[in-house]
């Protein structure tokens, strides 16, 4: 594989996509971002905004060129609906690698109402399929790298270490011989958003088998932190920091809640255990995935992209201890197990050389410093989680009915 690749990054204006684009550009790859800016539009729809003041795409790209001399291309295309424009761009770019971040990624947003459910399914499934179909139609041979989620496995706590995508099953044959098969780990999504990632997996399975596309599906845990080595280079390169009840993820929410003096909003008992990864490790994993395409063997390479697991309760307690914040155990707006254990294999990235950043390494402080710097931009009324999973959970502002601990 060429050292300097032509890489198309779909969703490259988003939280994970933007720092990945900068990192791969810094490594010498030729980057083109494709994004319809729907994430910025959804901020307007919700009345929310990134805690950090993100510059426009044009300002971001100009700042990158000014700071490093590297040029990143940009095309505003909706990959779910503007198929002809996508084909035109891809036939011109002929990408060696396509990285696909371009989906609606918030579980609470996907459960908000029927309109957001339909949007999430339509956007995510059509977008993924269009990218695969266009690659085949044009006779291209890109390495297709997709950002999936740990959530496709579900959180059933059955005691197994979650393997990387495939579950070995042993079935007695007619002659009583035991036969081994590797099947896609049975999916158990917990939201319409996670459901679309489960459905993406079948699209990949088909295109890898039928068209021999080389596909890497990265099952990523919850990303925390905000800045990377490259986004720190200039204020105009700053990454997004979502904290609102739909898009803010749990650890970043707790870190900023502590800064603005809001109780830490633990859902239920906080016994949900989840997988985490720092944004700096996300970009490193993407560089490793790009440098190590799978064999063309008809099978999707599935890698678990996470570095550690924690329960929500233990994260809240850790942050409360260091900041003095109050922990509020609030009614859970989601339909999820109150408590679960989680063990995950991340052997492939470790074997490729990932040296994980853990919570213990001081970056919690760095994230809180970023939150403190922009705390004046916080809209407190955007903090509560108001999206509920079922109608009978819909009493109003669920997160505000907190009990102090
Ligand atoms: P994000 O919402 O910040 O970024 C997604 C980007 O994709 C946005 O810029 C958006 O405008 C763009 N986009 C969406 N639909 C599009 C379309 N139809 N056409 C073109 N562009 C489109 O999300 P993120 O946090 O950067 O997540 C990126 C990917 O990583 C997602 O697929 C998500 O499922 C996955 N992921 C994220 C996390 C996390 O904690 N943030 C964890 C695991 C997996
Ligand atoms: N939670 C709280 N309090 C809060 C917010 C969340 O207790 O204020 C709890 C939730 O109930 C849940 C857990 O924290 O049990 C994680 O919630 P989250 O919003 O941090 O993460 P999630 O909805 O799972 O989604 C995020 C990203 C998604 C990605 C997923 C990875 O938004 O794109 O796919 O993390 S994973 O969780 O591994 O599937």
């Amino acid at each position: 594989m060429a050292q300097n690749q032509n890489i198309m990054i779909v969703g490259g204006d988003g939280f994970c996509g933007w720092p990945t684009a900068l990192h791969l550009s810094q490594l010498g790859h030729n980057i083109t971002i494709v994004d319809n800016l729907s994430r910025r539009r959804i901020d307007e729809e919700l009345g929310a905004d990134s805690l950090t003041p993100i510059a426009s795409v044009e300002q971001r790209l100009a700042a990158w060129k000014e700071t490093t001399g590297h040029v990143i291309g940009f095309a505003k295309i909706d990959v779910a609906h503007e198929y002809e424009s996508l084909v035109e761009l891809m036939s011109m770019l002929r990408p060696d690698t396509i990285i696909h971040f371009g989906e609606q990624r918030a579980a609470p947003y996907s459960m908000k109402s029927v309109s957001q459910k339909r949007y999430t399914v339509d956007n995510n499934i059509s977008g993924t399929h269009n990218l695969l179909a266009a690659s085949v139609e044009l006779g291209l041979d890109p390495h297709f790298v997709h950002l999936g989620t740990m959530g496709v496995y579900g959180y059933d706590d059955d005691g197994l270490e979650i393997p990387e995508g495939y579950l070995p099953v042993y079935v007695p044959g007619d002659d009583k011989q035991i036969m081994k098969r590797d099947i896609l780990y049975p999916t158990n999504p917990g939201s319409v958003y996670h459901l679309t990632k489960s459905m993406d997996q079948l699209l990949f399975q088909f295109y890898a088998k039928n068209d021999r596309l080389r596909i890497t599906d990265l099952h990523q845990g919850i990303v925390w932190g905000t800045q990377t080595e490259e986004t720190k280079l200039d204020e105009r390169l700053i990454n997004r920091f979502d904290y609102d009840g739909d898009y803010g993820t749990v650890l970043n929410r707790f870190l900023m809640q502590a800064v603005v003096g809001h109780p830490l909003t633990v859902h239920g008992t906080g016994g949900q255990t989840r997988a985490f990864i720092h944004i700096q490790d996300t970009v490193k994993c993407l560089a490793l995935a790009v440098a190590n395409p799978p064999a063309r063997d008809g099978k999707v390479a599935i890698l678990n992209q996470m570095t550690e697991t924690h329960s929500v309760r233990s994260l809240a307690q850790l942050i409360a201890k260091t900041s003095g914040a109050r922990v509020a155990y609030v009614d859970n707006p989601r339909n999820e197990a109150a408590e679960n254990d989680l063990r995950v294999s991340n052997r492939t990235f470790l074997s490729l050389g990932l040296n994980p950043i853990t919570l213990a390494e001081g970056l919690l402080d760095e994230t809180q410093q970023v939150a403190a710097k922009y705390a004046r931009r916080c809209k407190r009324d955007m903090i509560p989680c108001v999206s509920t999973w079922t109608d009978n959970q819909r009493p109003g502002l669920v997160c505000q009915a907190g009990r102090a601990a």
Side-chain angles (χ1 to χ4, degrees):
M1 180 53 61
Q3 281 286 306
N4 294 339
Q5 299 186 32
N6 224 359
I7 304 180
M8 185 171 113
I9 304 188
V10 183
D13 185 50
F15 170 60
C16 298
W18 173 243
T20 301
L22 299 190
H23 186 60
L24 294 176
S25 171
Q26 188 77 310
L27 291 179
H29 297 296
N30 185 16
I31 306 297
T32 304
I33 289 175
V34 179
D35 201 300
N36 65 347
L37 308 184
S38 53
R39 181 67 195 89
R40 293 177 187 250
R41 179 192 57 71
I42 291 174
D43 263 348
E44 284 169 22
E45 170 194 324
L46 296 172
D49 201 355
S50 164
L51 188 67
T52 48
I54 52 171
S56 69
V57 185
E58 293 75 18
Q59 287 166 335
R60 281 179 153 187
L61 298 179
W64 182 242
K65 186 174 174 202
E66 198 183 303
T67 312
T68 64
H70 296 306
V71 175
I72 294 180
F74 173 66
K76 185 168 182 285
I77 295 175
D78 178 342
V79 297
H81 299 107
E82 295 173 333
Y83 184 73
E84 301 309 327
S85 306
L86 178 65
V87 165
E88 199 179 319
L89 179 76
M90 284 172 62
S91 66
M92 191 184 73
L93 288 178
R94 306 191 74 78
D96 301 304
T97 298
I98 297 173
I99 307 182
H100 180 24
F101 294 99
E103 298 183 78
Q104 191 303 97
R105 71 101 175 131
Y109 184 80
S110 79
M111 301 302 290
K112 218 171 181 55
S113 80
V114 69
S115 154
Q116 283 84 6
K117 287 179 186 176
R118 295 182 65 227
Y119 167 72
T120 302
V121 170
D122 174 39
N123 186 65
N124 293 4
I125 304 303
S126 294
T128 299
H129 188 254
N130 282 346
L131 288 162
L132 295 166
S135 300
V136 173
E137 184 188 347
L138 291 166
L140 302 178
D141 181 29
H143 171 205
F144 193 93
V145 181
H146 173 251
L147 270 294
T149 175
M150 285 297 305
V152 298
Y153 300 116
Y155 298 103
D156 259 1
D157 191 12
D158 50 16
L160 277 184
E161 180 188 65
I162 294 184
E164 299 201 279
Y166 297 94
L167 187 68
V169 296
Y170 299 87
V171 189
D174 288 345
D175 55 1
K176 304 277 190 288
Q177 288 272 59
I178 300 293
M179 296 187 297
K180 176 176 178 274
R181 294 283 183 275
D182 281 340
I183 59 166
L184 267 182
Y185 195 95
T187 64
N188 184 11
S191 71
V192 166
Y193 154 70
H194 287 101
L195 174 66
T196 64
K197 295 287 183 178
S198 303
M199 293 160 79
D200 278 344
Q201 289 199 110
L202 291 181
L203 298 177
F204 299 141
Q205 193 180 45
F206 176 78
Y207 277 92
K209 181 189 66 159
N210 194 62
D211 300 287
R212 309 309 266 188
L213 286 186
R214 292 164 305 143
I215 301 176
T216 301
D217 197 5
L218 303 171
H219 287 187
Q220 185 171 235
I222 300 170
V223 184
W224 66 281
T226 187
Q227 293 282 56
T228 62
E229 280 159 28
E230 287 82 18
T231 63
K232 278 189 256 185
L233 290 174
D234 186 290
E235 179 101 17
R236 292 166 295 170
L237 301 174
I238 200 165
N239 199 13
R240 357 179 6 109
F241 190 130
D242 293 308
Y243 67 92
D244 63 276
D246 281 331
Y247 277 88
T249 50
V250 66
L251 181 49
N252 276 4
R253 273 168 65 76
F254 288 173
L255 289 168
M256 76 72 67
Q257 287 170 352
V259 165
V260 302
H262 192 284
L264 309 185
T265 53
V266 172
H267 293 167
T269 62
Q272 311 88 346
T273 302
R274 296 288 183 268
F276 291 85
I277 182 167
H278 190 270
I279 185 72
Q280 182 69 63
D281 277 347
T282 291
V283 305
K284 285 191 180 150
C285 286
L286 262 300
L288 289 169
V290 165
N292 293 279
R296 194 187 309 282
D297 58 4
K299 193 174 172 191
V300 179
I302 301 179
L303 281 60
N304 291 338
Q305 185 165 310
M306 51 71 68
T307 53
E308 55 190 327
T309 61
H310 295 280
S311 73
V312 168
R313 184 169 55 225
S314 68
L315 292 177
Q317 286 165 351
L318 173 73
I319 293 164
K321 197 168 135 202
T322 50
S323 66
R326 188 170 71 90
V327 179
Y329 291 90
V330 304
D331 294 339
N332 195 339
R334 305 188 184 203
N335 187 359
E336 61 185 356
E339 307 265 332
N340 72 283
D341 219 346
L342 182 63
R343 288 191 304 125
V344 182
S345 167
N346 61 348
R347 283 188 192 90
T348 307
F349 273 123
L350 296 181
S351 71
L352 290 175
L354 180 70
N355 183 15
I357 294 169
T358 61
L359 258 57
E361 285 177 49
L363 291 182
L364 286 172
D365 287 348
E366 187 195 77
T367 306
Q368 263 183 323
Q369 282 159 18
V370 173
K373 183 167 178 194
Y374 300 104
R376 66 191 143 74
R377 289 171 49 87
C378 165
K379 299 179 185 169
R380 287 181 80 90
D381 60 337
M382 293 311 303
I383 294 178
C385 300
V386 294
S387 299
T388 55
W389 261 230
T390 58
D391 278 346
N392 54 17
Q393 289 173 295
R394 215 153 270 169
L397 303 183
V398 181
C399 276
Q400 285 180 339
R403 300 181 295 281

